[in-house]
Amino acid sequence: MQLNFSELSQNQRYHLLTQTVVPRPIAWVLTENKSTNMEEAASYNLAPFSFFNAVAAEPPILMLGFTHKSDGSSKDTWQNLLEQQTCTIHLASLEQLDALVETSAELPYGASEVVKNNLHLTGFDNSALPRLKDAPVAFACKLHSHQTFGDDIVSVGSGVVFCEIMHIYINDEVCSQNEKGHIIVDPIKYSPPARLGGQNYATMLELQEKQRPKG
């Protein structure tokens, strides 16, 4: 089968991408909502993104890909990141998969997925934002840059945000230190869920080690 992407609808392209580019890591992104009531404290938005990956080590950059909400407006995470310039990006544990999926529901701006799903936050050293207490890995990030695709992200389509990592948290139970002082993360103990197409998710089932060839 060979298809011309220019002849496909946006929905068709999306479903082909999400079924072929697999498995994809899932970023669980915490941002702060702008308070809409001066008498109320600001709330936290929490949302999963599977158009996500690490794209650079110097500076350390994570990439988040965005589409719009079902009504055509920009997502809360996009709005918050551009306004607040900070976020906490988590990698979930397998035990958190149900909660992660639940936080993909569209809520009115200001409603907190953290509160709705009874999730617990804890302080993140040297960071303006907290982190999810039970997530095995968390990155405290600041906005590095962003790019939109199309004429207007609110009404047309998509964009990408690049976040620079400032601090990292790793649960001691999934990592150790070798004789050279390198931190080693155990992929089996870590095993965050990954995204496939449709309603499907993947987990770490088999590990194969291959030596890189010497040129």
Side-chain angles (χ1 to χ4, degrees):
M1 180 181 292
Q2 183 168 307
L3 302 170
N4 186 336
F5 252 46
S6 66
E7 297 174 353
L8 303 178
S9 68
Q10 178 182 343
N11 188 57
Q12 288 174 315
R13 293 194 294 267
Y14 173 81
H15 284 288
L16 283 172
L17 280 173
T18 56
Q19 291 179 85
T20 53
V21 184
V22 294
R24 300 186 307 282
I26 306 169
W28 210 4
V29 185
L30 181 86
T31 56
E32 186 174 7
N33 294 319
K34 185 178 180 180
S35 179
T36 56
N37 186 332
M38 296 300 293
E39 297 180 358
E40 296 180 0
S43 61
Y44 294 109
N45 179 270
L46 183 66
F49 291 84
S50 68
F51 280 15
F52 159 70
N53 221 314
V55 295
E58 187 55 46
I61 299 292
L62 300 175
M63 178 277 297
L64 298 169
F66 287 78
T67 55
H68 52 66
K69 286 185 177 182
S70 58
D71 64 1
S73 63
S74 59
K75 289 193 173 181
D76 297 347
T77 304
W78 174 275
Q79 180 179 337
N80 291 343
L81 250 175
L82 266 59
E83 289 182 354
Q84 310 293 339
Q85 307 277 299
T86 58
C87 68
T88 305
I89 298 178
H90 307 83
L91 278 299
S93 67
L94 184 58
E95 291 76 15
Q96 293 176 304
L97 179 57
D98 287 343
L100 182 147
V101 174
E102 285 297 316
T103 60
S104 65
E106 289 188 7
L107 302 180
Y109 186 82
S112 176
E113 293 82 0
V114 175
V115 174
K116 183 177 185 293
N117 293 281
N118 196 31
L119 298 171
H120 302 289
L121 301 175
T122 189
F124 201 158
D125 291 349
N126 301 310
S127 175
L129 295 176
R131 61 175 174 84
L132 291 170
K133 183 178 180 180
D134 296 327
V137 172
F139 302 96
C141 300
K142 68 176 182 180
L143 178 66
H144 179 276
S145 56
H146 70 283
Q147 175 69 49
T148 58
F149 308 117
D151 297 328
D152 181 358
I153 188 172
V154 173
S155 60
V156 176
S158 56
V160 63
V161 165
F162 297 100
C163 298
E164 182 174 353
I165 301 169
M166 307 307 293
H167 304 279
I168 183 173
Y169 162 81
I170 308 174
N171 188 313
D172 290 342
E173 294 182 2
V174 303
C175 68
S176 60
Q177 201 165 23
N178 67 12
E179 64 279 0
K180 294 182 179 179
H182 298 156
I183 296 173
I184 306 298
V185 178
D186 187 323
I188 301 300
K189 291 181 180 179
Y190 178 26
S191 192
R195 195 72 168 92
L196 303 176
Q199 309 303 314
N200 298 316
Y201 294 80
T203 59
M204 180 79 71
L205 298 178
E206 181 180 355
L207 179 64
Q208 296 187 18
E209 183 176 347
K210 303 289 184 182
Q211 292 296 325
R212 188 172 181 175
K214 297 180 179 179

